[in-house]
Amino acid sequence: MVVGSGVAGLITALRLAPLPVLLVTEGALGAGGATAWAQGGIAAAVGPDDDAGLHAQDTLAAGTGLGDPRVARDVAAEAATIIGMLRQWGVPFDQDAGGKPALTLEAAHSRRRILHAGGDGTGAALIRTLAARARASGTIDLAEHCSAEDLLVEDGRVAGALLRRGGTLAPVAARAVVLATGGIGGLYASTTNPAGTWGSGLALAARAGGELRDLEFVQFHPTAIAIAAAARRDAPLPLASEAIRGEGGVLVDDLGLPVMSGVPGGDLAPRDCVARAIWKHMEAGRRVFLDARDALGPRFPRRFPAITALCRAAGIDPVSQPIPVRPAAHYHMGGISTDRRGRTSLPGLWAVGEVASTGLHGANRLASNSLIEAAVFGRRAAADIRHTSRPCCLPHSGDRLTALQANAPGSPAIPAVEAELRRRMDDAVGVVRDRDGLQTTLAWLSGLRDTSAEDGPLRRKVEVALMITAAALARTESRGAHTRRDFPAADPGWARHQAVEPERVRPAARPLTVLSLGDQPA
Ligand code: SIN
C-alpha cells in the first residue's frame, strides 16, 4: 500500500511492479499535492562542467552540518539515472538549442544543474506523466478520495492501514506500507503548500510508535508572492521560483535598496539566509520585492509562464513591475526517520518524499533537491520491498471501501481554532523563534490537545504542531532554517539530530487489528 500520490508515491508505486499496489490518494489521481506546484525543477549533475561530487558537496554545505554525506553521495550519484528513467517514461524536460536538457541555476548551487519542464511547470509535467503511467500500469489499484486514518500494527509490524473515504472506514491489509504523504506547510497561515499538507503521515507514524526526527527544521521559501491578506483569505501564497534569481532577478526593498548586499552569496545565498534577510527587512517595516525587469523583462512570460499567470491574477505584471515577496512555510526537512532504503523504525513501514527524514537535507534543503530525493528514495524503497516482501497473496480489498456502511462520520470542521493554530505557528514557530513565543504556543497547543474530545484531523494537526514546537524549543541554537533570536549562534554541541519520542503524542491506546477479509470493521 502506498499512501500519497505525489512524485514519491507514484514512483514507488510504479517501481513496485509486478507487485500489486493499492495507491491511496486524498484527491483524484493527478492532483499531485505539493509536487504539482513545484516550479523550479529537479536537480541533477548532468552538465558538462558538473559532477555528482559537486552536487553532494553543495547539498551538504546547505545542510549546515546535519546532512548525511552517504545519503548526499547516493542521491547525487543516482540523479542522472533517475533523469534517464523519467525521460524514457516521457517527462518532457525543456531542451537547449542542441537538444540537451536546458539547465538553470538556483541558490547555493555551484553549477547550473536544475532541469525543468514547461519553463516553470516541472512538478505539473512530472505528475501528468507519472499519473498517466500509473493508470495504465495494470499493477496499481487506485483508492482515490481516500485517506489513511491509522496504521494497523500487529505484533510490532505495520500490517496495513485503516482507510477512510467520506464517512466510511475500512481496515485494509498490506504486506508493506509506504507513506508518501508530503509536508506540513498547511499548519502555517503563510505557506506555499496546498491545503491538506499538514503532516498527516507524521501523525500516523507517531501514533504507531515510529521514530521522527529534526521536526524543528522547517524551510521558509524566501519569495512567496505577498498577496494582500484581504485578497488571499486562507489560501496558500503562490510562489515566485528561486530560478528567477538564478536568471538574474534581484531582491530590493521599497526604497529600491538591495536586500542581499553584504550577505555572502548575495541574491543566490542559501534559502535560509535569504528568508532571514527578508524577514529582517519586514520587521523593520520595509516591504521587499523581486525585481526581474532588467534581467528578463519581456522574456519573463516565456521563461516563467505559470508565475506570470500567478502574478497577473494578483494584479502584478512581472515584465514591468517588481513582484512583492515574503517568506512562507515551504518544506519540512524533518520527518519520519528512515535508512538509505527508506525503511522506518517500524517493520513493515517505509517513508519517502517530504514526509521522510532521510538525512539528505540536514538543517536546510538545497533548492530543487526535493523532487530528486523523492524519486531516488521512491525507487530505492520499491526495490527494497520487492526484494524483501513475499509475493502478496491478499487481494487489496479496496472495494470494501465503497461496500461498507457509513459508520464513522467525519469530525466537524473547526475553522476558527485551525486559523488560530496556523497564525500562532507563523508567529512563534516561523522564520525567527524565541523561548517565550515557543513556550506560549506549546502551552496553548497542549491545552487544546488535552481538552479536545474528538480524535479527528484537528487533534492530529495539534499533535504534529506540538511536536514541531517542542523540537524548536529544545534546540537552543540557530542552525540552518532554525533561527532562535535568543540563541543566535550555532552550538557545536547541537551538531546532531533530534529524535522525537512518539510516546509524547500517542493517544490513549486504541486497539488496532487487521481484520481478515470479509470481516466488518469494529
Ligand atoms: C523554487 O522553484 O524556488 C522552489 C523549488 C524548490 O523548493 O526546490
Side-chain angles (χ1 to χ4, degrees), residues 39-40 106 221 239 241-243 271 330 365-370:
Q39 294 174 347
E106 283 185 339
H221 196 291
L239 187 66
S241 172
E242 226 163 39
R271 210 168 258 187
H330 181 64
R365 175 176 67 87
L366 189 64
S368 287
N369 261 358
S370 47

Side-chain angles (χ1 to χ4, degrees), residues 444-453 459 462-463 466 504-505:
W444 183 81
L445 288 165
S446 304
L448 197 55
R449 178 197 54 188
D450 296 344
T451 54
S452 150
R459 180 170 172 130
V462 171
E463 286 169 5
L466 254 175
R504 292 178 62 166
V505 292

Side-chain angles (χ1 to χ4, degrees), residues 52-74 76 108 113 359-366 369 479:
L54 279 177
H55 184 185
Q57 201 174 299
D58 292 347
T59 299
L60 292 169
T64 10
L66 284 192
D68 181 334
R70 294 163 311 164
V71 177
R73 280 196 297 269
D74 285 356
R113 65 166 73 97
L360 178 69
H361 308 304
N364 180 42
R365 175 176 67 87
L366 189 64
N369 261 358
R479 180 181 297 275

Side-chain angles (χ1 to χ4, degrees), residues 1 33 44 49 83 88 119 124 137 140-141 209 221 229 268 334 343 349 360 366 374 391 425-427 435 472 476:
M1 177 189 299
D49 62 345
I83 297 299
Q88 200 196 351
S137 70
I140 299 174
D141 275 353
H221 196 291
L268 288 177
R343 289 186 189 186
L349 183 70
L360 178 69
L366 189 64
M425 292 298 283
D426 261 23
D427 290 348
R435 192 184 57 186
T476 48

Side-chain angles (χ1 to χ4, degrees), residues 462-484:
V462 171
E463 286 169 5
V464 177
L466 254 175
M467 290 191 288
I468 295 170
T469 309
L473 181 63
R475 185 174 283 274
T476 48
E477 65 154 359
S478 291
R479 180 181 297 275
H482 172 68
T483 305
R484 289 278 302 251

